[in-house]
Amino acid sequence: MRNALLLWTRPDHPSIQKVWADQGFSGRLVDWSASILGRDLEIIRKVPDQRGFQVQPKRWAAERTFAWMTAHPRLARDYETDPARSETMIRWAMIGIIVRRLTRGCPAKRPGPRRLRWTGLE
């Protein structure tokens, strides 16, 4: 399964050159990724003497993204039975996040109070 996920990135995302992975992905997958896909697979490891929680380099980006996605009610639980539909919900959530980021620099444009119009009906 791990190979399939990396293999999927090759035709769909040819510009990806480096992939960060958890310790669970270490082993022959690193060599396979370099020789077959031409991608650098870097394993992010914990400091050997680490005690308790400590932010791992690069890993916070993935964790933060998951936190953003779970802010969307549909993604807070795994409601979807079809993986394609689940992927679509993730894409919609990320599109919403990107749109909010792009429009963040602009002041909010809200219409002011509107005058009531007299319809002449009583």
Side-chain angles (χ1 to χ4, degrees), residues 7-117:
L7 194 57
W8 173 80
T9 64
R10 186 173 172 110
D12 290 347
H13 306 284
S15 62
I16 293 177
Q17 294 300 314
K18 179 173 234 143
V19 178
W20 293 311
D22 198 305
Q23 289 176 341
F25 292 93
S26 62
R28 295 185 310 177
L29 187 62
V30 176
D31 298 331
W32 181 85
S33 176
S35 62
I36 303 297
L37 298 178
R39 303 252 161 76
D40 181 24
L41 179 65
E42 182 182 336
I43 304 298
I44 306 300
R45 300 186 185 281
K46 292 193 300 187
V47 179
D49 59 345
Q50 175 182 336
R51 296 275 188 252
F53 175 77
Q54 190 175 22
V55 176
Q56 301 297 320
K58 311 292 189 277
R59 188 170 178 166
W60 66 269
E63 298 294 336
R64 177 195 60 202
T65 304
F66 288 135
W68 287 338
M69 288 191 305
T70 56
H72 296 270
R74 193 84 182 246
L75 298 173
R77 302 278 185 272
D78 193 16
Y79 293 121
E80 309 303 333
T81 56
D82 182 21
R85 189 173 184 107
S86 183
E87 180 183 352
T88 302
M89 302 307 326
I90 291 170
R91 288 181 187 264
W92 275 108
M94 295 310 293
I95 288 169
I97 290 167
I98 290 170
V99 167
R100 277 194 300 278
R101 281 188 173 189
L102 289 173
T103 58
R104 186 184 305 163
C106 303
K109 297 179 182 173
R110 294 187 177 96
R114 295 187 323 189
R115 291 184 164 200
L116 293 175
R117 297 181 77 188

